């Protein structure tokens, strides 16, 4: 009998085995390959020489001048900054649109909720590229939005609203693509929310805003944070929307990585940028872990 | 093969199986949407060789696979600028193409090219060019120089579309500035960068897809373009009652040409040679051109081509136009190009 706990421990370890193997094979090994490639030397026509080199990381911050001296160069940092900024904007837009939607669904009778959730997820069944192309038809010259303006003569044939190929178009594209990732976790939080607490707030003369900020927000915080994270991470590496809707006028992290592996044939540098991307994600995940610890202690009250 | 039985291959296979000389296989590795099924069918029927096709979408992919030691391919189709790399790295076999009977059909212009001067390794295949296309009905005049694209006039500002990657656009800039390709002179590359940065405020999109859409709906008036794709765009534009013209600016267009080669690791070398000879026949190359929408190097292939393609100005280079071929740049020149491009788009 004494070794029963031991057996249980063994069983637990064995049961975790498949999950650990999957994480090991599909996550750790690729990350290790990427990390090691980022410290190798680039071969001129793609591939790597197995020689240690920190060049890829030096290149991120410095420009090598002709006399081989190094000068601090903000080029790549600007690209990183732009990608982070755009991902944050997309995240905020998703939150502003997604929260009311999730609230609306959570307030529906139980049987109708599933139908609404289904409607939210249906766009996921179509390829992201196709859905992004659809926005070109909507926002473009003579597109769905412009046509009424032309009919009414508000827009001359030579004029355009200029919606396409702009940061606005990128933001619309990212928000549209990732909004289900915001709605679903917030809905999951709101669904569990005890609405009698909201009523209690009202009974105790709290204003609508106070109810919202002191009761609803704290209780749905885990969902909000999870949603923000789920939107922020893929937005950071997105390249379809900046390319197709933004006209690719400014490089994004995702496009930059793609460029290094294809045209520029600089695999180590591509890997180094991907590592930077990964570092950002890890930092945000750590912030999440911290924030969700905070919200747990709140639930205890 | 059973899985593929729904495809056209089977039809020919059954046919081929009944033939006395039915033997052997041939594994072709070619660009996506680039191999005429009709041509392959004809080849299988005539030779009894069973063809399997696999595809890739970029020279880089093909090279990376070959360098990684991919086996099982008997024919590969790299572009001219990559051909010297395959030869230098010993990835392909010597075939002596010049001694093949059908080599006499190859047009003078495509024989013994710079990238394979003795024609020992590669069979000339499709060729094409990169330039700009424009909407004469909106532009109001003939486009004569890249200057009109790089330093656009008032009325086309904001309606210029540029390729997404630097290979061709940097070479277009070199042509316009009268510089040599794969330039290693930082001062000259600086001029290229200045030109591209000055153009940027007038560019609506850097994209190598959807050029025809942008030109036809009028978003763009001048756009970087490839000849074969512009040919399809012109037909679409005509349907919509609009004009789309592939320009031959006085500075010249950037040429590319693909070649058939046999990898070192090929298992069916003799069959690959039979195929190489086969494709240098006017009828066979004509059929292939109809599918791919690009011109070919074979004398008399026009007789077997669809009329619209045969007479297409995009495929038939005007006599006074210049075609300049580009090369794969060495690491120094390539890194200058990358830096210029990053500075333009950052």
């Amino acid at each position: 009998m004494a070794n029963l706990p031991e057996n249980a421990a063994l069983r637990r370890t064995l049961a975790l085995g498949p999950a650990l193997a999957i994480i090991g094979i599909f996550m750790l090994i690729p990350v290790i390959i990427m990390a090691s490639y980022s410290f190798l030397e680039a071969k001129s026509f793609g591939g790597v020489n197995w020689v240690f080199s920190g060049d890829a990381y030096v290149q991120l911050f410095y420009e090598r001048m002709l006399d081989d001296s190094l000068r601090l160069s903000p080029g790549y940092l600007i690209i990183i900054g732009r990608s982070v900024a755009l991902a944050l904007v997309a995240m905020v837009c998703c939150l502003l649109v997604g929260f009311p939607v999730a609230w609306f669904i959570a307030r529906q009778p139980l049987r109708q909720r599933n139908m609404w959730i289904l409607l939210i997820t249906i766009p996921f069944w179509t390829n992201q590229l196709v859905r992004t192309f659809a926005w070109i038809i909507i926002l473009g010259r003579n597109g769905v939005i412009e046509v009424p303006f032309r009919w009414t003569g508000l827009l001359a044939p030579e004029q355009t609203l200029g919606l396409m190929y702009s940061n606005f178009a990128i933001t619309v594209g990212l928000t549209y693509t990732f909004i289900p990732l915001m709605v679903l976790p917030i809905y999951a939080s709101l669904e569990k929310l005890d609405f009698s607490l909201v009523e209690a707030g009202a009974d105790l003369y709290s204003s609508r805003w106070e109810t919202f900020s002191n009761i609803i927000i704290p209780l749905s915080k885990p969902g909000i944070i999870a949603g923000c994270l789920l939107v922020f991470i893929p937005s950071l590496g997105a390249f379809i929307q900046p390319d197709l809707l933004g006209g690719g006028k400014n490089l994004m992290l995702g496009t930059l990585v793609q460029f290094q592996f294809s045209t520029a044939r600089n695999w180590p540098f591509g890997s180094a940028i991907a590592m930077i991307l990964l570092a950002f994600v890890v930092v945000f995940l750590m912030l999440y872990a911290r924030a969700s610890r905070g919200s747990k202690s709140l639930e205890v009250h | 093969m059973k899985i593929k039985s729904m495809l056209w291959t089977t039809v020919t296979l059954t046919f081929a199986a009944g033939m006395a000389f039915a033997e052997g296989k041939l594994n072709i590795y070619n660009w996506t949407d680039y191999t005429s099924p009709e041509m392959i069918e004809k080849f299988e029927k005539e030779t009894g060789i069973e063809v399997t096709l696999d595809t890739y979408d970029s020279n880089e992919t093909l090279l990376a696979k070959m360098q990684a030691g991919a086996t099982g391919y008997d024919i590969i189709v790299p572009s001219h600028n990559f051909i010297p790399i395959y030869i230098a790295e010993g990835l392909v076999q010597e075939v002596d193409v010049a001694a093949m009977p059908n080599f006499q059909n190859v047009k003078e212009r495509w024989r013994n090219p710079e990238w394979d001067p003795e024609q020992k390794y590669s069979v000339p295949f499709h060729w094409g060019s990169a330039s700009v296309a424009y909407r004469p009905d909106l532009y109001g005049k003939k486009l004569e120089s890249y200057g009109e694209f790089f330093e656009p006039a008032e009325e086309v500002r904001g309606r210029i579309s540029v390729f997404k990657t630097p290979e061709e656009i940097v070479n277009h800039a070199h042509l316009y500035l009268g510089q040599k390709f794969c330039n290693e002179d930082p001062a000259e590359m600086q001029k290229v960068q200045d030109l591209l940065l000055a153009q940027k405020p007038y560019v609506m999109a850097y994209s190598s897809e959807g050029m025809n859409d942008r030109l036809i709906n009028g978003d763009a008036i001048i756009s970087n373009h490839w000849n074969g794709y512009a040919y399809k765009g012109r037909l679409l534009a005509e349907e919509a009652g609009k004009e789309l013209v592939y320009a031959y600016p006085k500075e010249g267009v950037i040429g590319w040409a693909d070649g058939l080669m046999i990898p070192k690791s090929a298992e069916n070398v003799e069959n690959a040679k039979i195929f190489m000879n086969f494709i240098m026949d006017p009828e066979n190359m004509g059929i292939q051109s109809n599918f791919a929408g690009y011109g070919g190097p074979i004398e008399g292939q026009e007789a077997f081509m669809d009329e619209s393609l045969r007479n297409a100005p995009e495929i038939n280079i005007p006599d006074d136009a210049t075609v300049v071929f580009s090369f794969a740049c060495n690491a120094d020149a390539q890194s200058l190009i990358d830096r210029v491009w990053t500075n333009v788009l950052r």
Side-chain angles (χ1 to χ4, degrees):
Chain A
M1 291 304 266
N3 58 8
L4 190 71
E6 229 172 275
N7 265 340
L10 183 70
R11 254 202 312 257
R12 239 196 335 264
T13 318
L14 284 178
L16 275 175
L20 289 176
I22 284 176
I23 291 175
I25 293 169
F26 294 109
M27 198 191 95
L28 282 181
I29 293 179
V31 168
I32 290 169
I33 292 176
M34 197 167 75
S36 41
Y37 266 47
S38 73
F39 284 107
L40 294 173
E41 230 178 56
K43 242 173 152 172
S44 10
F45 297 112
V48 286
N49 286 325
W50 287 88
V51 179
F52 176 84
S53 156
D55 270 6
Y57 290 94
V58 173
Q59 200 183 339
L60 261 177
F61 302 101
Y62 296 95
E63 193 175 347
R64 196 173 284 279
M65 304 306 285
L66 297 165
D67 56 1
D68 255 6
S69 66
L70 294 172
R71 195 183 67 180
L72 197 67
S73 148
Y76 296 111
L77 299 180
I78 292 174
I79 295 170
I80 294 173
R82 178 187 301 128
S83 298
V84 172
L86 203 70
L88 285 173
V89 170
M91 186 183 91
V92 170
C93 289
C94 278
L95 183 61
L96 291 179
V97 180
F99 191 93
V101 173
W103 176 262
F104 171 78
I105 296 174
R107 294 295 280 158
Q108 297 305 306
L110 192 60
R111 290 183 59 186
Q112 282 179 29
R113 285 184 210 165
N114 287 336
M115 196 254 314
W116 287 105
I117 291 296
L118 181 73
L119 287 179
I120 295 281
T121 48
I122 278 179
F124 261 143
W125 301 353
T126 315
N127 184 297
Q128 198 195 122
L129 204 60
V130 176
R131 284 183 288 143
T132 310
F133 261 102
W135 277 102
I136 300 183
I137 298 170
I138 296 171
L139 298 174
R141 186 180 283 260
N142 300 324
V144 175
I145 294 179
E146 286 197 358
V147 163
F149 286 93
R150 291 201 194 282
W151 280 350
T152 52
L154 286 169
L155 209 61
E158 273 313 294
Q159 284 177 312
T160 171
L161 294 173
L163 299 173
M164 264 299 282
Y165 308 113
S166 60
N167 286 335
F168 168 76
I170 302 178
T171 312
V172 169
L174 287 175
T175 307
Y176 166 75
T177 308
F178 296 123
I179 194 112
L181 301 178
M182 183 65 87
V183 172
L184 296 177
I186 296 182
Y187 165 74
S189 282
L190 289 176
E191 199 193 17
K192 284 181 287 184
L193 189 146
D194 185 354
F195 278 96
S196 57
L197 289 173
V198 178
E199 282 159 20
D203 289 346
L204 295 168
Y205 300 104
S206 91
S207 70
R208 282 168 169 243
W209 172 249
E210 281 165 342
T211 310
F212 181 69
S213 62
N214 292 334
I215 301 173
I216 298 170
I217 292 279
L219 288 178
S220 58
K221 199 170 147 199
I224 293 174
I225 294 171
C228 287
L229 215 61
L230 286 175
V231 171
F232 179 80
I233 292 172
S235 296
L236 196 57
F239 62 90
I240 292 177
Q241 294 82 2
D243 261 23
L244 291 181
L245 301 176
K249 274 176 279 196
N250 295 306
L251 282 172
M252 299 288 162
L253 273 177
T255 332
L256 190 62
V257 173
Q258 190 204 16
F259 178 60
Q260 296 309 323
F261 278 94
S262 55
T263 318
R265 300 191 288 253
N266 191 342
W267 295 12
F269 189 46
S271 308
I273 305 164
M275 292 304 291
I276 297 288
L277 200 65
L278 187 68
F280 268 102
V281 172
V282 169
V283 167
F284 271 80
L285 281 174
M286 277 158 62
L287 289 176
Y288 169 64
R290 227 167 147 192
S292 53
R293 260 207 307 278
S295 65
K296 256 188 207 114
S297 63
L298 190 139
E299 270 168 41
V300 174
H301 287 298
Chain B
M1 281 326 292
K2 272 172 199 141
I3 301 164
K4 283 190 180 172
S5 61
M6 303 300 274
L7 297 173
W8 47 267
T9 21
T10 2
V11 186
T12 55
L13 278 179
T14 3
F15 200 92
M19 293 176 134
F21 54 88
E23 56 173 334
K25 292 180 191 277
L26 179 68
N27 300 316
I28 300 178
Y29 196 29
N30 197 359
W31 296 79
T32 314
D33 289 333
Y34 202 47
T35 319
S36 159
E38 201 187 333
M39 181 273 294
I40 294 292
E41 199 172 330
K42 186 165 179 285
F43 176 75
E44 292 187 324
K45 215 179 270 183
E46 282 178 20
T47 62
I49 295 167
E50 179 190 315
V51 174
T52 313
L53 181 67
D54 197 0
T55 62
Y56 53 85
D57 59 5
S58 79
N59 274 306
E60 284 81 5
T61 309
L62 175 63
L63 181 61
K65 275 209 172 177
M66 288 295 140
Q67 280 174 331
T71 54
Y73 298 118
D74 304 313
I75 292 273
I76 54 170
V77 194
S79 298
H80 72 283
N81 50 350
F82 277 71
I83 285 176
I85 303 175
Y86 287 91
I87 298 174
E89 302 219 342
L91 295 167
V92 286
Q93 308 197 3
E94 218 181 292
V95 217
D96 202 5
V97 174
M100 290 183 177
N102 278 344
F103 185 68
Q104 54 171 11
N105 297 329
V106 174
K107 284 179 189 164
E108 200 55 48
R109 177 176 202 151
W110 301 107
R111 285 189 194 187
N112 306 74
E114 293 162 79
W115 48 90
D116 185 10
E118 291 169 63
Q119 207 83 60
K120 271 197 204 154
Y121 299 92
S122 65
V123 165
F125 197 51
H126 288 302
W127 56 267
S129 65
S131 167
V132 296
Y134 66 111
R135 286 280 304 274
D137 44 344
L138 296 178
Y139 192 48
K141 58 180 173 185
K142 188 171 179 227
L143 191 146
E144 311 258 7
S145 158
Y146 286 118
E148 296 165 60
F149 168 68
F150 284 119
E151 293 156 342
E154 191 71 42
E155 65 271 18
V156 279
R157 290 183 180 171
R159 294 170 85 174
I160 301 277
S161 137
V162 178
F163 282 144
K164 189 187 158 192
T165 52
E167 301 95 348
E168 288 95 356
I169 180 73
V170 166
N171 284 340
H172 284 143
H174 283 320
L175 283 180
Y176 177 57
L177 297 169
Q179 302 167 335
K180 75 176 190 63
F181 290 175
C182 292
N183 215 304
E184 290 176 53
D185 178 353
E188 297 215 320
M189 288 307 284
Q190 182 67 46
K191 285 186 189 152
V192 170
Q193 182 176 315
D194 293 346
L195 184 69
L196 293 174
L197 276 174
Q199 182 200 30
K200 190 179 177 185
Y202 311 135
V203 174
M204 59 175 308
Y206 290 88
S207 167
S208 301
E209 290 137 15
M211 286 90 94
N212 287 333
D213 298 334
R214 284 194 291 278
L215 282 167
I216 291 170
N217 76 15
D219 259 340
I221 294 180
I222 305 177
S223 170
N224 259 149
H225 225 311
W226 286 292
N227 68 331
Y229 192 18
Y231 156 70
K232 289 172 186 161
R234 177 170 56 83
L235 299 182
L236 285 172
E238 279 167 7
E239 267 173 41
K242 292 164 181 173
E243 292 175 50
L244 192 159
V245 169
Y246 183 74
Y248 288 93
K250 62 174 193 262
E251 295 90 355
V253 295
I254 312 284
W256 56 262
D258 289 339
L260 303 182
M261 299 180 100
I262 305 181
K264 269 265 159 67
S265 57
E267 279 159 16
N268 305 299
V269 178
E270 285 314 307
N271 290 348
K273 287 182 182 169
I274 294 174
F275 184 78
M276 282 178 155
N277 190 51
F278 172 87
I279 202 68
M280 287 189 285
D281 174 86
E283 183 177 354
N284 301 335
M285 194 63 210
I287 296 173
Q288 165 63 26
S289 273
N290 281 339
F291 179 81
Y294 283 100
I298 305 300
E299 195 74 61
Q301 72 170 75
E302 289 79 7
F304 302 94
M305 279 157 64
D306 299 336
E307 203 183 325
S308 64
L309 189 65
R310 196 190 310 147
N311 301 322
E314 295 86 2
I315 311 298
N316 299 287
I317 305 173
D319 291 335
D320 58 344
T322 324
V323 184
V324 191
F325 284 88
S326 59
F327 276 91
C329 302
N330 66 26
D332 288 344
Q334 184 64 45
S335 99
L336 278 175
I337 294 175
D338 297 343
R339 271 156 65 182
V340 165
W341 197 241
T342 309
N343 286 340
V344 169
L345 290 189
R346 79 180 179 200

